[in-house]
Amino acid sequence: MLESLVARGRRVRNFRETREITFGLADLSTQSDVHQRLVQKGGIETLVNILISAQDAEAQQFAALAIANTAATKSLCNEIIKLDGVVSGLVQYVANEQADSIGRQYSALAIGNLLADPTTHESIVESGVIGAIITMLQNCCDARELESGKYAAFALANIASNRQHHTQIVDGGGIELLVALACCDDSNTQRQSLAAVRGLCTTSENRQTVLRKGILDPLILMSKSEDIDIVQEVAAALNCLSSEEDNKEEISFGAISTLISLMMLGDSTVERHSCCAIANLVEITDIHSHFLQERGIAPLIALCSSSDELCRVEAARAVASLSSNPELIDTLIQEKALGPLVKSIEQDDNNCRFAALAIANICTHAPSLFKVVQAGAVPHLVALVGSSNNNLEGRRYGALALANMTACEAFHSTILSDEGPEALFALSNSYDDVDSRRFVSCALANLSANTTNHDQIIAMGGLQPTIALVYDSDETIHKQAVAALRGFSATENNTKIVHEGGLEPLSRLLLSKNDEVLIETTACFVNLSLADESKFEITTSGAVVPLISLIQNENSTISHYACECLANLAEMKDNQDFIAREGAVIPCISAMRSRHIEVQRESGRLLANLGGSSNSFAADTIIEGDGHELLTSFLLSQDANCQRVGAFGIGNLCTHTHHRRTLMLAGVLEPLSSLARSGKVELEIRRFAMLAIANLASCFDNHDDFISQNTISMLVSFSNSADAEIRNYSAFAISEIAKSYEMMEVITNEGGLEAVLYLARSDDKKVQRQVLGALTTLSFLDCNKMTICSNGALPMIVDCISENNNSVDESQLACCAIANLLEAASNMTLVVNHGCVPLLISALDSDSEAVQREAARACGNLAVNADLCDLVIHQGAAKRLLKCFQSRNCECQRMATLALSNLSSNLKSHSDLLELDILNLIKTECLASLDPKRFSDKETARFCILIISNLCGTKDNHDHLDTFFGKSVKWNGRWFTCKQETD
């Protein structure tokens, strides 16, 4: 039958037969299984031909309907449009305003069906279909033509599904026509027009145009339709329009109550679109109050538990946006939003990312944190962050929630007990997601700020992930990571950071241009540098040079921390010279002039520590840069820390002997003395000041300044201080000044001897040796001799005589002091009782002529006492003195002959002296004294004559003397005069 109808259609000429054929084909086309044969047998071409050429309107209507029905089979659309004249014929008929209205409607329906296949769009649009459809729409303003508008809108809706045709539709006035059509009373027409409008709104520019053309009011009216399909289209349209930023305020003002109503309609599609629209609108904070006034929060939260997953996602997205407004957080909690949000995270579905974001926003409100924890969110957030699924966005927002929660220390234990750090560590490896690493680093920074967490986090392996984040190129990430390390470094874990390799990335960050990063990094280095075992590693890690460059940073906090860290490093002797040679001194001096007191203190402390370097480079550079003048000015500061730094720094510079005079000329003594005297100054500062004074006192050229500034009496008074250190330093200063021969009377008159004796009684051998020179000098004064012997100094002096455990200089000083003390007869027994005689005799064998000289003088003084003379002789002094007598050193020779002359006054010594061939030595010296061409010490010659005179005092010696001198030389009467007198 089909074939017959097609064949007849090609030949027919009268109206009645044409109508029968087209009616028959239209009837057959209602059966989809006929469509394929209809196309293949040429039925479509026949129908199009009748549509265009027939004069009967009814035949045209049936022809167009048959084509429309056949085009409803989507698989045939491409085949149909390839048939000659089909598309052009349909378009031509639609565009013909004189054509039958119903025929045009069916033709538009046919075109719409063909356009249901997106692959046909290009061919059909090229035929001018858009213009034809718009022409048809323009005729739909009349209520009688609304049906045509429905079919035209249907076709246009399918065309609008392809964005590349939107411009042509808009330029042709399609939007205005569709909006107008949407205002009609026919539900089908409304639905089709909305579908077309929604298609056009997939292009951003068109959304604004559609709204300006007044689509909102008809949408609101249509939302009240009982036709669920229309309501779905309305919700979808509002959803689409609300995605445009510029539309949101207008839609909110006009349609937000409508959307809230739609959320409660009960249809999942409507609810989904309305939730999405609300989520779009509430992205603008200014809309929140309106949404709250319209009581939209409760139904929105209810949809967070919807059975439709997409609806839950959009509801959670809306809640997340609302939760970004602090003013709404309490309302959200009151409306029980936390329950469904936590459940969404627990289920780990697509909704969890927005649920996590909402909770993260709620956690920014400190009073709500307890509610979040109480709702059981923490373990689910931890599980989400630590999960290995591909929901990276959800894990990211979970980390943000934990990061916000860690801002309150009260919840740290909860997060730690749920193994939150381990989940964060796992997420920190998300190298393709910067935000995740940012939130992780923020959470770690907050957790590390609580020192009670450190051991647990580090036990979980937290140092390595944190250090890895410090390497991150993102500024926010490495700033938070270094803040975390700063927190960890505040406890004994600071050495672990060094051992785990934290120094390298930290050193790199010292080159950052971001002040916040530099503050955290330098502060971290300050903490690390507090550990003595880390100081050397930090110095050699490459951190010193960038730290030096930050000393003069414009940001006072950075400058302060850089100076503090370097000052800590410079507390280690091995680091001081290195830091100084890297150029720290000059910028440090400049920083001391800062207007910020913290920078002044730490830069001053750095300079003070560098001044203590055993190598003079640092001290020399400080003096050359006038750093000592700034340290001196610190002494005058009212700030205790500056006073401490000044006193300590000047004290260190005073350890360098070649700068002591320079410092004295710079006027440091007076402010140092003022600090030492002040009862309002801290004890430690007074100690530093007194130590500096003691070092200054060790410079001989400074002694006159001590006198002129009346400092001696102060030192003497401090030698009785209750504080042991001040007492020791003042006594040391006195002893240093007392070493000067010109100062011994001043020290004695001021009562300084007791201070020296106090040090002499010390159990510290080093201290004893330091005051030996002062005791020796003071022992030259007769008024001091008995005091020195009777007040505990003698054991120390005697102990220093031997060269076995002492230097030659110490042995010389000890012998000299003993010799001085023995000049007082009352001291002799006490000195001898301390066992000094054997030591003095041994000292005569010293390789040092200075030691020999003083030992000989001491022996000579002992020999003045007849009883002690026997002891000296018995100990074998004569032989050793004769050896000294032969010394080339004039003073040594003189003291030896003095001692021998005193020994010779004892008759018991004569035989020993004569046996030792003393006369031959005397003869040689006497002959030299008589020869004007030979050098001879007159004092030595006089002592020689005195020896001969003493020997002549015994008659038994006369023959021996006559024999020796009579045969050897003519004495010009001197000998005979001497002999005659003795007789």
Side-chain angles (χ1 to χ4, degrees):
M1 183 177 178
L2 173 65
E3 290 79 359
S4 173
L5 289 172
V6 172
R8 288 175 60 198
R10 292 170 184 161
R11 303 189 301 272
V12 70
R13 290 293 179 269
N14 61 73
F15 291 164
R16 186 179 61 79
E17 189 178 3
T18 302
R19 188 179 300 168
E20 289 178 358
I21 293 169
T22 54
F23 176 79
L25 290 174
D27 183 52
L28 287 172
S29 68
T30 59
Q31 304 173 36
S32 58
D33 55 340
V34 176
H35 293 174
Q36 181 72 39
R37 290 169 53 212
L38 183 60
V39 173
Q40 291 175 347
K41 299 299 182 178
I44 299 299
E45 292 98 319
T46 299
L47 289 169
V48 170
N49 185 50
I50 293 173
L51 177 67
I52 296 172
S53 60
Q55 298 300 313
D56 181 62
E58 247 187 271
Q60 291 176 330
Q61 292 172 6
F62 290 140
L65 179 59
I67 296 171
N69 288 341
T70 306
T73 300
K74 193 173 181 180
S75 59
L76 298 175
C77 290
N78 265 302
E79 193 173 343
I80 292 172
I81 67 171
K82 293 177 182 178
L83 299 174
D84 289 338
V86 173
V87 173
S88 59
L90 289 170
V91 171
Q92 179 184 344
Y93 193 82
V94 170
N96 185 1
E97 297 181 30
Q98 304 302 319
D100 179 71
S101 176
I102 296 176
R104 292 177 73 195
Q105 292 172 14
Y106 289 152
S107 296
L109 176 61
I111 292 173
N113 287 339
L114 290 172
L115 289 167
D117 184 355
T119 61
T120 66
H121 287 195
E122 196 67 34
S123 299
I124 296 175
V125 170
E126 286 178 357
S127 68
V129 70
I130 293 177
I133 296 296
I134 289 176
T135 299
M136 187 175 180
L137 279 174
Q138 290 171 344
N139 297 328
C140 294
C141 297
D142 190 337
R144 294 172 296 179
E145 297 293 335
L146 287 178
E147 192 71 13
S148 297
K150 176 179 66 176
Y151 293 112
F154 168 68
L156 207 57
N158 286 340
I159 297 174
S161 66
N162 192 328
R163 288 190 176 190
Q164 67 185 49
H165 305 312
H166 286 186
T167 303
Q168 193 173 349
I169 296 172
V170 173
D171 291 346
I175 289 180
E176 294 89 336
L177 296 171
L178 289 169
V179 170
L181 193 63
C183 297
C184 72
D185 294 331
D186 182 73
S187 61
N188 287 331
T189 304
Q190 289 175 337
R191 182 167 60 250
Q192 296 301 335
S193 61
L194 284 181
V197 168
R198 190 154 59 93
L200 290 173
C201 286
T202 58
T203 300
S204 175
E205 296 80 2
N206 295 339
R207 294 175 202 148
Q208 299 177 46
T209 305
V210 168
L211 198 64
R212 285 199 306 270
K213 296 300 181 180
I215 192 65
L216 192 58
D217 288 339
L219 287 175
I220 294 172
L221 291 173
M222 283 186 282
S223 69
K224 297 177 173 57
S225 172
E226 294 181 358
D227 187 337
I228 193 63
D229 291 337
I230 293 178
V231 178
Q232 288 177 350
E233 285 295 337
V234 169
L238 288 172
N239 179 12
C240 185
L241 290 171
S242 65
S243 64
E244 184 62 31
E245 195 72 18
D246 293 337
N247 293 347
K248 292 181 180 179
E249 289 190 11
E250 184 174 351
I251 295 174
S252 171
F253 180 77
I256 199 165
S257 59
T258 300
L259 286 167
I260 293 172
S261 299
L262 292 175
M263 285 196 299
M264 298 184 287
L265 191 63
D267 181 79
S268 61
T269 302
V270 174
E271 290 174 345
R272 180 168 66 251
H273 285 302
S274 57
C275 272
C276 185
I278 290 292
N280 292 338
L281 295 178
V282 295
E283 288 176 354
I284 297 180
T285 306
D286 293 341
I287 295 175
H288 292 183
S289 58
H290 188 193
F291 184 71
L292 181 62
Q293 291 172 1
E294 295 292 337
R295 300 182 179 181
I297 291 181
L300 180 65
I301 292 174
L303 290 179
C304 287
S305 302
S306 170
S307 59
D308 183 84
E309 182 179 352
L310 293 178
C311 186
R312 292 199 307 272
V313 170
E314 294 304 327
R317 182 163 72 93
V319 172
S321 295
L322 292 170
S323 63
S324 66
N325 187 343
E327 297 177 359
L328 296 183
I329 290 178
D330 286 338
T331 304
L332 290 171
I333 292 176
Q334 289 171 7
E335 295 291 347
K336 303 184 180 346
L338 287 174
L341 291 175
V342 172
K343 186 175 181 180
S344 293
I345 296 174
E346 181 183 1
Q347 292 173 347
D348 194 24
D349 56 16
N350 292 327
N351 185 29
C352 70
R353 66 186 188 278
F354 295 119
L357 177 58
I359 290 179
N361 289 337
I362 293 172
C363 287
T364 61
H365 187 235
S368 303
L369 285 172
F370 179 75
K371 298 285 187 180
V372 174
V373 174
Q374 195 176 39
V378 175
H380 300 306
L381 286 170
V382 171
L384 172 63
V385 172
S387 64
S388 57
N389 60 28
N390 295 323
N391 188 0
L392 184 57
E393 191 175 8
R395 298 175 67 196
R396 178 199 308 151
Y397 292 139
L400 175 59
L402 291 176
N404 291 339
M405 202 175 294
T406 57
C408 181
E409 288 189 3
F411 303 108
H412 286 188
S413 58
T414 303
I415 295 171
L416 289 172
S417 63
D418 287 324
E419 299 181 346
E422 292 185 342
L424 293 170
F425 301 154
L427 187 59
S428 69
N429 294 323
S430 302
Y431 296 111
D432 55 342
D433 186 55
V434 174
D435 285 337
S436 293
R437 301 198 304 278
R438 285 178 179 170
F439 301 150
V440 169
S441 61
C442 179
L444 292 176
N446 290 339
L447 289 171
S448 68
N450 186 348
T451 56
T452 59
N453 299 336
H454 290 184
D455 291 341
Q456 192 171 350
I457 294 174
I458 290 175
M460 292 179 179
L463 277 183
Q464 276 301 324
T466 307
I467 292 172
L469 289 172
V470 178
Y471 278 105
D472 202 292
S473 59
D474 182 80
E475 201 168 75
T476 302
I477 295 172
H478 61 235
K479 179 183 71 176
Q480 296 293 347
V482 77
L485 286 184
R486 176 187 180 181
F488 290 135
S489 65
T491 59
E492 64 274 6
N493 294 308
N494 54 8
T495 56
K496 294 181 181 178
I497 295 175
V498 175
H499 297 154
E500 292 283 345
L503 290 180
E504 182 180 349
L506 287 171
S507 298
R508 292 182 181 182
L509 291 188
L510 289 174
L511 303 175
S512 173
K513 302 299 181 183
N514 184 291
D515 281 0
E516 292 182 0
V517 173
L518 289 174
I519 288 172
E520 295 295 339
T521 306
T522 51
C524 183
F525 267 108
V526 168
N527 292 339
L528 294 177
S529 64
L530 292 173
D532 290 339
E533 55 266 45
S534 300
K535 295 183 191 297
F536 183 75
E537 289 189 54
I538 295 172
T539 303
T540 56
S541 70
V544 169
V545 173
L547 282 170
I548 291 173
S549 69
L550 296 174
I551 289 177
Q552 294 177 271
N553 193 280
E554 293 179 358
N555 187 301
S556 62
T557 304
I558 297 172
S559 177
H560 165 213
Y561 286 146
C563 291
E564 185 176 0
C565 177
L566 289 169
N568 291 341
L569 297 178
E571 289 175 355
M572 185 177 183
K573 284 286 184 182
D574 293 342
N575 292 340
Q576 291 168 352
D577 187 60
F578 179 83
I579 295 173
R581 292 186 183 277
E582 290 294 337
V585 173
I586 300 304
C588 180
I589 292 173
S590 298
M592 289 176 69
R593 298 185 174 95
S594 170
R595 59 189 176 88
H596 301 283
I597 187 65
E598 297 86 0
V599 178
Q600 292 177 16
R601 290 172 182 167
E602 295 304 327
S603 58
R605 187 164 70 93
L606 170 57
L607 199 72
N609 287 337
L610 292 177
S613 173
S614 55
N615 191 304
S616 64
F617 175 81
D620 294 345
T621 310
I622 292 171
I623 297 295
E624 291 171 4
D626 295 330
H628 63 294
E629 295 182 357
L630 290 171
L631 288 172
T632 303
S633 69
F634 274 29
L635 298 174
L636 304 173
S637 172
Q638 297 302 310
D639 181 72
N641 290 321
C642 287
Q643 291 174 345
R644 181 183 297 105
V645 166
F648 181 68
I650 293 296
N652 280 342
L653 290 175
C654 288
T655 60
H656 299 274
T657 57
H658 59 295
H659 291 313
R660 289 171 183 165
R661 184 57 186 161
T662 303
L663 292 168
M664 181 64 82
L665 293 175
V668 300
L669 183 57
E670 183 177 352
L672 286 172
S673 300
S674 297
L675 285 180
R677 289 191 187 100
S678 177
K680 299 180 180 179
V681 175
E682 295 178 12
L683 179 60
E684 185 183 30
I685 298 174
R686 296 175 62 205
R687 288 173 177 171
F688 287 148
M690 189 56 69
L691 176 59
I693 292 172
N695 286 331
L696 288 171
S698 63
C699 176
F700 176 81
D701 294 336
N702 290 342
H703 292 174
D704 288 339
D705 296 277
F706 277 88
I707 300 298
S708 63
Q709 296 187 36
N710 299 318
T711 312
I712 303 299
S713 58
M714 178 197 75
L715 293 174
V716 172
S717 67
F718 281 140
S719 66
N720 297 314
S721 172
D723 183 73
E725 289 190 39
I726 291 179
R727 189 165 64 245
N728 289 339
Y729 295 150
S730 58
F732 177 77
I734 293 170
S735 67
E736 289 298 310
I737 297 173
K739 290 178 182 179
S740 174
Y741 189 81
E742 292 80 4
M743 297 295 165
M744 62 181 180
E745 291 188 8
V746 177
I747 296 296
T748 300
N749 294 336
E750 293 287 348
L753 176 60
E754 177 53 37
V756 179
L757 291 173
Y758 162 73
L759 292 180
R761 293 191 292 268
S762 170
D763 294 331
D764 190 335
K765 297 293 184 181
K766 185 177 180 180
V767 173
Q768 292 177 355
R769 289 174 174 80
Q770 285 179 331
V771 300
L772 180 58
L775 281 174
T776 301
T777 302
L778 292 172
S779 67
F780 279 101
L781 290 177
D782 292 338
C783 61
N784 293 335
K785 297 184 190 299
M786 291 184 61
T787 305
I788 293 172
C789 275
S790 59
N791 283 278
L794 194 56
M796 179 271 290
I797 297 174
V798 172
D799 187 57
C800 291
I801 294 175
S802 173
E803 292 183 30
N804 292 335
N805 298 316
N806 306 289
S807 67
V808 171
D809 290 339
E810 291 169 348
S811 182
Q812 174 198 346
L813 290 173
C815 290
C816 179
I818 292 295
N820 292 340
L821 296 176
L822 289 173
E823 290 176 357
S826 58
N827 290 337
M828 290 185 176
T829 301
L830 187 59
V831 172
V832 171
N833 289 341
H834 277 79
C836 72
V837 175
L839 296 174
L840 290 172
I841 302 303
S842 297
L844 292 172
D845 290 328
S846 172
D847 294 333
S848 169
E849 292 177 333
V851 175
Q852 292 176 4
R853 179 192 68 218
E854 298 304 329
R857 184 163 71 88
C859 289
N861 290 340
L862 279 173
V864 171
N865 185 305
D867 294 333
L868 298 179
C869 184
D870 290 341
L871 178 61
V872 172
I873 294 170
H874 179 73
Q875 293 287 340
K879 182 177 180 180
R880 292 176 173 83
L881 287 170
L882 284 174
K883 181 179 178 181
C884 295
F885 181 28
Q886 300 175 63
S887 172
R888 295 182 180 181
N889 183 282
C890 176
E891 294 181 356
C892 182
Q893 189 182 47
R894 183 189 304 161
M895 292 299 107
T897 53
L898 169 62
L900 287 169
S901 68
N902 289 341
L903 286 177
S904 66
S905 64
N906 189 326
L907 299 179
K908 296 178 181 180
S909 67
H910 289 185
S911 59
D912 291 336
L913 293 174
L914 292 173
E915 288 178 4
L916 292 172
D917 199 18
I918 191 172
L919 294 178
N920 193 37
L921 297 174
I922 291 173
K923 171 186 170 184
T924 302
E925 185 61 32
C926 289
L927 289 175
S929 67
L930 295 174
D931 189 348
K933 297 181 180 180
R934 295 176 62 184
F935 171 79
S936 177
D937 179 59
K938 301 303 181 183
E939 288 294 318
T940 301
R942 184 165 63 83
F943 289 138
C944 286
I945 297 300
L946 181 57
I947 293 171
I948 295 172
S949 175
N950 289 336
L951 290 174
C952 290
T954 303
K955 292 182 180 181
D956 295 340
N957 296 337
H958 289 181
D959 293 338
H960 188 75
L961 292 169
D962 286 339
T963 302
F964 186 81
F965 287 105
K967 297 178 180 179
S968 304
V969 66
K970 298 292 184 179
W971 278 83
N972 299 324
R974 297 182 187 177
W975 159 253
F976 300 105
T977 301
C978 181
K979 179 182 177 182
Q980 186 177 5
E981 289 175 354
T982 54
D983 287 340

